[in-house]
Amino acid sequence: MRKLSVLTLVVVLALVVSAAGAALARQNVEITLMGWSSSTEENDALLAQVAAFEAANPDISVNVQLVPEYDTTIQAAFASGDSPNVFYVDSSKLPDWAEAGVLASGEGMIENLDDHYESLLEAFTYDGTLYCPPKDFSIMALQYNKDMFDAAGLDYPTPDWTWDDLRTAAEALTGENEAGQKVLGLVTPPNFERWLPFLYQAGGSVLNEDWTEVTLDSDEAREALEFYIGMVNDGIAGPPSMVDAGWGGEAFAQGRVALAMEGNWVISYLVEQFPDLNWGVTELPRHPAGGQASMVFTVCYGVASNNDYPDESWQLANFLTGPEGSQLVAEEGFGVIPPAISAADTWLEAIGPEIGEGFLAGAEYAHKWQFPVGFQDVFDTFNADLQLAFEGQYLAEDVIIDTIGVAEEVLAR
Amino acid sequence: MTASTTTAPHERRSPLMTALTVVGWTVLIVFAALEIFPFVFTVANSFKCLPAVQSYPRSIIPVPPFGAECQTETGAARSPGEVSGAVTFNPTLEGYEEIADANLPRWLYNTAIFAVAITIGRLIFDSLAGYALARLKFPGNRLVFYTILGTMMVPAIVLLIPRFIILKELSMLNTYQGLIVPLAVDAFGIFLMKQFFESIPNEIEEAAMVDGANRLTMFFRVVLPMATPALTALAIFSFQGAWNDFLMPLLILSGDSDLWTLTLGLSFLRGAYGETLRWHAFLAGSVLTTLPLALIFFYFQRYFVEGVSYSGLKG
């Protein structure tokens, strides 16, 4: 009997202590935010945002972890069950992580829905569930070298350029520079995502709505691919390697191509590292029938499903992506565009409207960069085939047949 | 150093031999240049303004004015042509300033702590374990040895997640000891030491035993001093390995940027996509990462060559 009462006492004491502990912990909750490092300015701006959040919520402190090799680090964290409370999610990773169950559903939790672009929310919706609020985004647009256009006596590109205008200009701009090096009209990286805007402009698609069928066997896909490959075969465009560059932005910056189709990540690169370059931006050209499309690459703040502080995590995610948090980033004027529509004007002002507008306009009609789990195999096949097609060893038709084969295999898994 | 016999005065050299020598030297010079030039470019570009790295990556001769300004008064980047040409460039410390601001001193300090602690740990524990396996007869001696040897066959990447989980359970993630303790002993070192101890004649130890030394005295006063070549090799490998390690620090320390090593820091500077890479600062960081190790190498070069040839013979 005596033994029992001692035991009871111990249990009661333990409960009291743990309850008190929980109450104390409540006073100051620490949540972890994990992401990858961007430029120093961007990292600093995130810290400033977080500081503003902590000032507004004195009972929450945020431990910001910007890590190298993000994918490795977060996979280890998921595997050990020690997930950060809030973390970056690339739109291409969303299906993977949603399937794995590491992401909490954002339905009913995400605020300021009206202040977000439809195309971005769509990028973070998987299987009908909206998972997370967008952090920032990049849109593909057309960059042109003003000096080269002037020298060739051509008018600068405009948003209503069509494929034909692109081709004509690329043809006129192809030649040699003073050093006798080859100069191409347009840089065409041998990558699936660079070709996709052409497919979408032509009205084609890769998969049907519910991702059960491959829809690449279409006239639109053939037309888009033949156009892309055709420019290379005709010698007026080519991959970055053809002009000794590692990526499209570099080829453009070095003056080895007159036109490039990069996203807004190219802005700070060109401004900081190539101050002499005289360049402009406009929207991607349209299909001759008028079809307009671009690609949006975006990242969101995911909230962990395995989470001790879900409410505080959502508070943080909503603050960082809401009007106030967006303003803080927009003022700094980096390459990436802040997520809130209300902050767009501030961003344009800070970055310079003549540069920003070409990118921002695409937010209305851009497609998300997101495919089913395992689609990396499809990209790899397409990219390798595309390179062969550039070299004249493959036809557009061969690339399409190969790609469909692999895509169907992946879908059947 | 003894005089080389090939240069004896009365020796006749056939034209063929001369030609071969010339070819040999040419090949050596070409390969030496291939090895050295990347480092020369790294150093030269680390002293340039950012746009100059992009526009004139091949200029390697610094000319005055030193300490060139990389920005105009308005804060915009200066044209690369103003501070660099095809062959020469005006050096600046901008890259080094940027990397110093990016917490590099702290990374250097952490890396030194890890490398030294791991090296000391391995010298002590590997030699003790190697000696035990070489000399002490106990049940399961060979089983223990083969188990240790077996762990060398497991690719490190396989152990990544289990290691992470164990360290997490021990609350050792993001701590100094979290990186040091798991790496303070390694199978290769034990193997190396065991093989070396077995090559020492038993009689020496028996003599020490007759003089009244116990096992530990004998180990520290007699055996260990004889093992200097093996210990040197082990120390150099451990230090270099710990200094350059990336995967383990990434796994164990990535949550606390105050504990990062140089390799983590440099990778962090590179950014997620690389477009934002600020070359001059990145190369400045590479130079500073390489420099301490290079200095240690030059200083201990003789031992290092001995150590490599020793472990090459035995391992």
Side-chain angles (χ1 to χ4, degrees), chain A residues 190-326:
Chain A
N191 298 106
F192 192 59
E193 70 270 20
R194 304 307 171 123
W195 168 70
L196 274 182
F198 292 95
L199 174 71
Y200 293 138
Q201 286 157 9
S205 59
V206 181
L207 297 167
N208 64 351
E209 276 287 301
D210 45 6
W211 284 2
T212 51
E213 258 173 70
V214 185
T215 53
L216 272 177
D217 187 12
S218 65
D219 291 341
E220 290 84 5
R222 275 184 203 92
E223 186 192 1
L225 196 54
E226 272 159 15
F227 176 71
Y228 200 72
I229 297 170
M231 287 191 294
V232 178
N233 291 157
D234 293 346
I236 59 172
S241 58
M242 202 185 267
V243 286
D244 318 313
W247 62 292
E250 190 186 347
F252 180 74
Q254 302 279 12
R256 301 293 301 277
V257 298
L259 292 155
M261 295 175 298
E262 294 292 332
N264 27 304
W265 52 79
V266 82
I267 300 177
S268 58
Y269 174 73
L270 294 180
V271 170
E272 283 173 20
Q273 313 204 15
F274 297 89
D276 291 347
L277 195 73
N278 189 9
W279 60 291
V281 184
T282 189
E283 297 170 56
L284 289 186
R286 301 154 186 258
H287 185 264
Q292 215 175 4
S294 181
M295 296 299 295
V296 57
F297 302 93
T298 176
V299 174
C300 76
Y301 285 111
V303 169
S305 56
N306 171 18
N307 197 333
D308 291 338
Y309 307 112
D311 294 339
E312 288 80 0
S313 301
W314 282 115
Q315 256 176 291
L316 175 65
N318 281 321
F319 178 86
L320 294 176
T321 60
E324 198 182 335
S326 287

Side-chain angles (χ1 to χ4, degrees), chain A residues 36-39 43 65-69 72-73 76-77 79-80 82 90 247 254 265 269 271-276, chain B residues 50-51 54 77-80 161 164-165 168 246 250-251 254-255 260 264 267-268 270-273 275-278:
Chain A
W36 54 76
S37 85
S38 311
S39 62
N43 297 344
Q65 301 185 349
L66 296 179
V67 300
E69 299 292 321
T72 316
T73 313
S80 71
D82 190 24
D90 192 282
W247 62 292
Q254 302 279 12
W265 52 79
Y269 174 73
V271 170
E272 283 173 20
Q273 313 204 15
F274 297 89
D276 291 347
Chain B
L50 183 56
Q54 292 284 4
R78 264 174 80 190
S79 166
I161 303 280
F164 184 85
I165 294 173
K168 184 191 155 234
F246 177 71
L250 172 69
L251 196 71
S254 57
W260 283 358
L264 282 188
S267 163
F268 181 78
R270 198 172 57 87
Y273 298 111
E275 278 104 22
T276 51
L277 175 56
R278 298 177 64 81

Side-chain angles (χ1 to χ4, degrees), chain B residues 129-190:
Chain B
Y131 183 75
L133 290 169
R135 283 285 187 263
L136 304 187
K137 300 284 168 264
F138 58 90
N141 179 318
R142 294 190 71 75
L143 180 70
V144 171
F145 175 63
Y146 285 122
T147 311
I148 290 173
L149 213 55
T151 61
M152 282 173 70
M153 315 298 164
V154 182
I157 197 92
V158 174
L159 302 174
L160 215 61
I161 303 280
R163 221 170 223 176
F164 184 85
I165 294 173
I166 292 172
L167 287 169
K168 184 191 155 234
E169 293 301 323
L170 295 172
S171 305
M172 279 166 76
L173 288 178
N174 301 319
T175 61
Y176 280 110
Q177 62 269 32
L179 185 64
I180 294 169
V181 172
L183 296 178
V185 196
D186 75 318
F188 172 73
I190 295 175

